Amino acid sequence: MTQSIDHLLACPSCSGDLDRESAGYLCLGCGRAFPIRYGIPDFRLAPDPYISIEAEIAKIEGFIAPGRTFADMVRAYYVLTPESPPSLHSRYMAAMDSAVTRGAAMIAKLQNRFPEAGASAMLDLGCGTGGMTIAGSRQYTQVLGVDVALRWLVMGKHRLVEAGIDAPLICANAESLPFREGVFDAVLADAVVEHVRDSSRMRDETLRV
């Protein structure tokens, strides 16, 4: 059962309180509604820069199926993505596999540099399919993963289940995080800054939460 994170959340648009509804979240401040898609809260204020929300949902419907493993979904995704060079698919998948080890090394480096930082809550920002989320769950009491790409989160959700990890995943923009101030002891990001629209806002949001 996924741990409750409602006490950590705030509207990414106005920072207002959120009311949990069956279909999603409603901001009590600005009235903005945020849906839950495939069991993942979607707090995006802007779509993934690489694909529209409609096209992304169509692609998810193409790779998600009962009985498919995380690896099955990744392979099916690339079959549905001809614009991605097939010669690079094995490299992409190897990078996903190595993300756990890479994430563990990043976490160790951070903890060595900032030993005074707590180990209660960690945010994996731009988590993709959750490699560093898995690594973080071994060091922090609570770990959350955030990414703008819902398709990767859907795959990542299955990856976490297969790994026996209970970590919530949230779809959101790195420049507009749906969290209250100061709720994390650490925020880590692996290969993210080059993909955001505004790296300065990403930095400010990282420091805020």
Side-chain angles (χ1 to χ4, degrees):
M1 181 177 181
T2 301
Q3 52 193 288
S4 174
I5 58 170
D6 289 357
H7 64 290
L8 305 177
L9 299 175
C11 176
S13 180
C14 74
S15 299
D17 291 336
L18 295 167
D19 184 33
R20 175 69 181 267
E21 301 179 329
S22 59
Y25 290 84
L26 177 68
C27 176
L28 300 178
C30 66
R32 189 160 187 155
F34 302 97
I36 295 176
R37 308 181 197 270
Y38 302 98
I40 298 167
D42 189 345
F43 287 105
R44 289 177 290 188
L45 299 182
D48 185 322
Y50 300 109
I51 189 172
S52 70
I53 291 176
E54 294 75 18
E56 182 172 46
I57 289 175
K59 187 160 285 190
I60 292 170
E61 290 297 316
F63 69 71
I64 193 170
R68 275 188 174 170
T69 65
F70 164 67
D72 292 337
M73 290 183 183
V74 173
R75 285 190 289 268
Y77 170 80
Y78 283 119
V79 170
L80 296 167
T81 312
E83 63 271 22
S84 175
S87 60
L88 296 180
H89 292 176
S90 60
R91 295 188 183 185
Y92 295 153
M93 288 187 279
M96 291 181 201
D97 289 340
S98 65
V100 179
T101 302
R102 191 166 63 249
M106 292 176 65
I107 292 167
K109 183 176 181 180
L110 180 141
Q111 292 179 333
N112 288 335
R113 185 173 178 183
F114 302 102
E116 73 283 1
S120 177
M122 179 198 124
L123 176 64
D124 181 1
L125 183 58
C127 65
T129 59
M132 186 151 57
T133 304
I134 294 173
S137 69
R138 300 166 182 167
Q139 300 293 328
Y140 291 85
T141 303
Q142 184 173 50
V143 179
L144 279 74
V146 167
D147 203 286
V148 72
L150 181 64
R151 58 199 182 281
W152 296 127
L153 296 175
V154 171
M155 295 182 212
K157 186 176 178 182
H158 285 264
R159 184 181 193 178
L160 295 179
V161 169
E162 290 174 11
I165 302 297
D166 178 19
L169 300 179
I170 292 177
C171 197
N173 303 102
E175 304 96 324
S176 304
L177 294 173
F179 303 111
R180 301 182 186 278
E181 292 186 8
V183 295
F184 297 105
D185 297 301
V187 179
L188 291 97
D190 180 15
V192 179
V193 70
E194 65 268 32
H195 297 292
V196 301
R197 294 179 174 88
D198 189 334
S199 59
S200 294
R201 285 195 62 185
M202 172 184 166
R203 174 203 60 203
D204 293 345
E205 280 291 271
T206 297
L207 294 173
R208 181 183 68 81
V209 305

